[in-house]
């Protein structure tokens, strides 16, 4: 059994009101495309993270659908403009229905 995917996230701890910040995420995941075969010739079932979303204080910031062509351990970098202190929530959804989440707070001065 594979280990539970562990996300790594980089969010600044502080920002100025109205500042555009960079957010970086990486999640360890094998991302099996469903196109390979095992040593016995059986198709290895598809198992990929198929959705990623980021919210700030409950409002959507970034989201995307992910296709099998993405590499293992998907990495995303995007920006967000912050006007108040709050919490970023990151969500990855797997083909099997598993959902992985992580949250990071930021203080806006």
């Amino acid at each position: 059994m594979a280990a539970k995917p562990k996300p790594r996230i980089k969010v600044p701890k502080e920002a100025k009101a109205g500042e555009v910040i960079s957010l970086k995420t990486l999640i360890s995941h094998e991302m099996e495309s469903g196109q390979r075969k095992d040593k016995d010739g059986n198709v290895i079932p598809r198992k990929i993270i198929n959705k990623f979303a980021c919210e700030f204080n409950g409002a959507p910031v970034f989201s995307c659908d992910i296709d099998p062509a993405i590499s293992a351990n998907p990495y995303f970098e995007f920006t967000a403009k912050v006007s108040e202190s709050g919490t970023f929530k990151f969500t990855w959804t797997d083909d099997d229905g598993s959902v992985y989440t992580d949250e990071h707070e930021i203080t806006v001065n």
Side-chain angles (χ1 to χ4, degrees):
M1 176 179 245
K4 178 181 174 185
K6 178 170 175 29
R8 290 189 292 173
I9 299 168
K10 190 168 186 178
V11 174
K13 292 186 186 306
E14 296 182 351
K16 291 182 165 85
E19 184 176 353
V20 175
I21 61 166
S22 178
L23 304 157
K24 299 175 184 180
T25 72
L26 175 95
I27 189 165
S28 299
H29 193 281
E30 56 201 15
M31 301 293 279
E32 185 57 61
S33 70
Q35 298 175 4
R36 295 183 324 130
K37 294 182 180 181
D38 64 16
K39 64 182 179 177
D40 298 324
N42 300 313
V43 174
I44 300 170
R46 177 180 136 148
K47 181 168 173 44
I48 69 166
I49 292 175
N50 57 45
K51 292 186 186 307
F52 170 74
C54 173
E55 298 176 345
F56 182 66
N57 291 341
V61 172
F62 175 83
S63 67
C64 64
D65 293 331
I66 304 170
D67 293 320
I70 196 165
S71 66
N73 308 321
Y75 170 82
F76 294 103
E77 182 175 353
F78 53 97
T79 59
K81 188 175 185 177
V82 291
S83 58
E84 63 186 16
S85 297
T87 303
F88 283 98
K89 181 178 181 183
F90 303 89
T91 306
W92 295 262
T93 306
D94 208 322
D95 277 341
D96 66 4
S98 297
V99 177
Y100 314 106
T101 61
D102 203 350
E103 294 184 358
H104 285 263
E105 293 183 4
I106 186 168
T107 301
V108 174
N109 305 317

